[in-house]
Amino acid sequence: MSSVADERQAASFEGIDVTYKAEYIWIDGTEPTAKLRSKTKVLADGAEPPLWGFDGSSTNQATGHSSDLVLKPVFTCPDPIRGGDNVLVMCEVLHTDLTPHATNTRAPLAEVAEKFAEQDSWFGIEQEYTFFKEGRPLGFPLGGFPAPQGGYYCGVGADEVFGRDIVELHLDRCLAAGLKISGINAEVMPGQWEFQVGPAGPLEVGDHMWVARWLLYRTAEEFDVAATLDPKPVKGDWNGAGAHTNFSTKAMREGYEPIITACEALADNAMEHVKNYGHGIEDRLTGHHETAPWDKFSYGVSDRGASVRIPWQVEVDKKGYIEDRRPNANVDPYVVARLMVDTCCTALEKAGQI
């Protein structure tokens, strides 16, 4: 009996279109933190992924009596899991009249990014996350706790590092997909890791981050492990999980005064940012574990206890970027990019520093 692969090959020789799989990925309406959803569409060889519908009543995005919503492809990359010509397709969610749905956070970012395109904003997001298995972080013993924090960060050895096989496979898959992933490291708590995406533009960093998150969940699934973006996965004397966001404009990359202007603008809009930087931010931004209190804004050179850090090399060079340390691991990258571009670029434009 011939295999499916043999049948497809035979079909291609007969002039019939060979098919490929497109995995449509989108952000749902779950509150307080949205989830990723995905489903597969089989397309003819050479066909572009089209608009596609889904049942919004099953994703917290519509009611049952008017449940049809639309997926609009906005970013496509190779599918490193299925391989071949198969692709991953990041989508925006639209109403049936093709206007953006309320849960579509990419559309308002696109407007802000276009408004300030001349300033050429770049982002680098440091995504922390934690592996869980059987209800506890990977590496935590049953019914107890591991040794205190200290040796786990960038550690090596089976007594300090947990989940490396998943992390390495995830990195390889992100690279195979062409995502702008720029590094990985073990984090401060057992079972906690980080990957970085960037440098990239406002829309690009969000598209690549959401697909990288989907690949993380999907890869961990193969090991019967869950990956969570919970900002405080273990209460007590354990580090939380953030998404430190590095940001610059052309002017900031060329001079120091625009960097100070951006920091002061973030100070003036501190509460608007914090309330949109991920659910549970008060649990993580306590003033301990390398954080500033959520309700007190500060910035400083080489200060990981500040809301915004200016790297020491930036002060030496008098140009570069800033790191907003407030965003939670569960932040929507489209939202943090929109807020930072709008806040900083508005102030830089007003100051004539563009």
Side-chain angles (χ1 to χ4, degrees):
M1 182 177 293
S2 63
S3 67
V4 173
D6 291 338
E7 291 172 1
R8 287 187 63 195
Q9 185 175 25
S12 69
F13 289 140
E14 294 169 7
I16 300 173
D17 286 339
V18 177
T19 57
Y20 73 97
K21 302 168 191 170
E23 189 71 14
Y24 280 57
I25 302 168
W26 74 97
I27 305 164
D28 77 359
T30 300
E31 294 182 346
T33 301
K35 296 182 178 181
L36 283 171
R37 308 279 183 141
S38 70
K39 62 175 183 172
T40 307
K41 189 174 186 64
V42 177
L43 296 168
D45 185 37
E48 292 294 321
L51 297 177
W52 197 19
F54 73 98
D55 172 17
S57 68
S58 296
T59 62
N60 304 303
Q61 289 170 296
T63 58
H65 68 271
S66 182
S67 63
D68 287 339
L69 291 175
V70 177
L71 297 174
K72 174 189 174 184
V74 292
F75 169 67
T76 301
C77 65
D79 184 340
I81 298 176
R82 287 172 168 154
D85 295 327
N86 303 303
V87 296
L88 303 177
V89 184
M90 189 67 206
C91 300
E92 288 188 14
V93 176
L94 309 178
H95 292 287
T96 53
D97 63 1
L98 303 188
T99 58
H101 188 269
T103 59
N104 181 342
T105 55
R106 189 182 188 277
L109 166 61
E111 294 179 6
V112 171
E114 182 178 4
K115 178 180 178 181
F116 295 106
E118 181 184 356
Q119 296 197 40
D120 193 20
S121 298
W122 291 1
F123 285 87
I125 299 180
E126 305 168 24
Q127 178 68 71
E128 296 177 342
Y129 60 93
T130 309
F131 288 133
F132 268 72
K133 189 175 179 67
E134 298 176 348
R136 62 185 185 278
L138 204 62
F140 273 53
L142 183 63
F145 291 89
Q149 296 184 161
Y152 307 111
Y153 173 71
C154 295
V156 62
D159 57 337
E160 293 186 337
V161 174
F162 308 91
R164 193 186 295 277
D165 48 354
I166 309 172
V167 172
E168 291 288 346
L169 181 55
H170 173 249
L171 174 60
D172 288 344
R173 286 176 169 177
C174 286
L175 291 171
L179 303 182
K180 287 192 171 180
I181 190 165
S182 48
I184 57 172
N185 60 269
E187 266 301 331
V188 177
M189 191 179 78
Q192 192 176 71
W193 291 82
E194 175 186 298
F195 67 86
Q196 303 94 36
V197 171
L203 289 167
E204 186 179 44
V205 77
D207 293 340
H208 287 221
M209 179 60 76
W210 276 116
V211 172
R213 286 176 173 180
W214 185 90
L215 282 169
L216 175 66
Y217 302 144
R218 180 64 180 77
T219 300
E221 179 185 312
E222 296 174 13
F223 294 80
D224 196 26
V225 168
T228 175
L229 305 185
D230 189 322
K232 191 68 175 178
V234 179
K235 305 302 181 185
D237 193 20
W238 299 96
N239 271 36
H244 302 152
T245 301
N246 300 282
F247 172 77
S248 70
T249 65
K250 183 175 183 293
M252 293 166 67
R253 295 189 293 274
E254 295 176 350
Y256 198 70
E257 286 187 10
I259 287 171
I260 300 303
T261 298
C263 289
E264 291 291 341
L266 290 170
D268 292 341
N269 294 273
M271 287 302 102
E272 180 189 2
H273 283 244
V274 163
K275 71 181 182 181
N276 288 288
Y277 274 4
H279 178 71
I281 202 160
E282 299 91 342
D283 295 330
R284 175 176 152 267
L285 297 185
T286 61
H288 303 288
H289 303 110
E290 299 181 305
T291 69
W294 68 270
D295 57 349
K296 294 180 181 179
F297 182 88
S298 60
Y299 68 90
V301 176
S302 197
D303 187 357
R304 282 181 165 77
S307 308
V308 172
R309 179 179 69 95
I310 300 172
W312 70 271
Q313 191 66 48
V314 170
E315 186 186 43
V316 170
D317 295 341
K318 299 302 179 186
K319 61 182 179 180
Y321 67 97
I322 58 175
E323 177 196 42
D324 193 334
R325 297 181 57 79
R326 296 171 296 169
N328 273 351
N330 59 0
V331 75
D332 182 339
Y334 294 140
V335 172
V336 70
R338 174 178 58 80
L339 288 169
M340 293 200 74
V341 170
D342 200 12
T343 293
C344 297
C345 291
T346 296
L348 290 166
E349 184 177 75
K350 184 176 180 180
Q353 298 170 335
I354 57 175

